[in-house]
């Protein structure tokens, strides 16, 4: 066997061996127990604090806001889509109320012009022409955006 072929074969074997060793070292012990997943991830996720409370929890205290929202175009948008659940599900929102930023960047996540989005669904705005120097919630009621503030 020529030396070049021998060296190439030896290099290939060394590369594969190093790859297998690194893979064995980096793969967690619980990997593959429940398929192509790390089984310990289930326990890790159980230890996390639950932040999502659900819209039913919001309605118990904020029925008036829910009624206003249900009569508007945002009726299909869930509360925690805008009021990010930043507090534990067991903490009362009166202790740490979830705030809506109402900034241009925040509202533009849904309302900026996007050619991939249906025009008849979410209203799309050209924020360069629509916005002045204010945040959206300075002019619009967040739960009924068609109602402008005075």
């Amino acid at each position: 066997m020529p030396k070049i072929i021998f060296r190439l074969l030896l290099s290939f074997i060394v590369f594969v061996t190093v790859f297998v060793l690194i893979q064995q070292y980096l793969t967690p012990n619980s990997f593959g127990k429940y398929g192509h997943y790390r089984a310990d991830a289930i326990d890790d996720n159980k230890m996390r604090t639950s932040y999502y409370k659900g819209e039913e929890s919001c309605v118990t205290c904020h029925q008036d806001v829910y009624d206003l929202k249900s009569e508007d175009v945002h009726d299909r948008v869930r509360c925690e889509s805008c009021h990010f659940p930043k507090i534990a599900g067991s903490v009362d929102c009166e202790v740490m109320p979830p705030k809506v930023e109402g900034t241009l960047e925040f509202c533009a996540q849904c309302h900026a012009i996007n050619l991939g989005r249906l025009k008849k669904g979410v209203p799309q705005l050209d924020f360069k022409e629509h916005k002045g120097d204010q945040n959206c919630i300075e002019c619009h009621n967040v739960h009924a955006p068609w109602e402008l503030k005075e």
Side-chain angles (χ1 to χ4, degrees):
M1 180 179 334
K3 280 187 173 182
I4 189 82
I5 300 287
F6 177 74
R7 288 180 184 167
L8 184 62
L9 184 61
L10 183 64
S11 298
F12 180 74
I13 291 172
V14 168
F15 175 76
V16 169
T17 304
V18 168
F19 177 78
V20 169
L21 290 175
I22 290 173
Q23 181 185 19
Q24 291 297 320
Y25 176 74
L26 294 178
T27 303
N29 293 334
S30 67
F31 182 78
K33 184 176 179 183
Y34 299 121
H36 196 75
Y37 303 100
R38 184 176 62 89
D40 292 340
I42 296 171
D43 295 329
D44 292 346
N45 288 333
K46 285 180 184 177
M47 298 301 291
R48 287 186 178 173
T49 303
S50 174
Y51 289 101
Y52 182 76
K53 293 176 112 176
E55 195 161 82
E56 299 79 25
S57 297
C58 302
V59 173
T60 57
C61 299
H62 305 284
Q63 185 67 46
D64 56 334
V65 175
Y66 181 77
D67 291 341
L68 180 64
K69 183 183 78 76
S70 65
E71 296 171 4
D72 196 69
V73 295
H74 283 149
D75 65 329
R76 297 174 78 189
V77 178
R78 298 292 158 239
C79 299
E80 291 176 328
S81 298
C82 298
H83 295 279
F84 292 119
K86 296 179 183 175
I87 59 176
S90 60
V91 176
D92 190 5
C93 70
E94 290 180 8
V95 176
M96 292 180 64
K99 302 283 184 192
V100 173
E101 296 173 10
T103 61
L104 170 69
E105 293 78 21
F106 180 78
C107 296
Q109 292 176 22
C110 297
H111 293 287
I113 293 177
N114 183 343
L115 298 176
R117 202 179 285 148
L118 294 175
K119 290 187 179 186
K120 65 181 180 179
V122 178
Q124 299 178 35
L125 303 170
D126 183 1
F127 283 100
K128 294 174 186 169
E129 293 179 14
H130 180 76
K131 178 194 175 287
D133 294 332
Q134 301 171 332
N135 285 331
C136 301
I137 62 172
E138 292 178 34
C139 295
H140 295 274
N141 179 342
V142 292
H143 296 110
W146 300 116
E147 293 180 12
L148 296 177
K149 294 180 179 178
E150 294 186 20

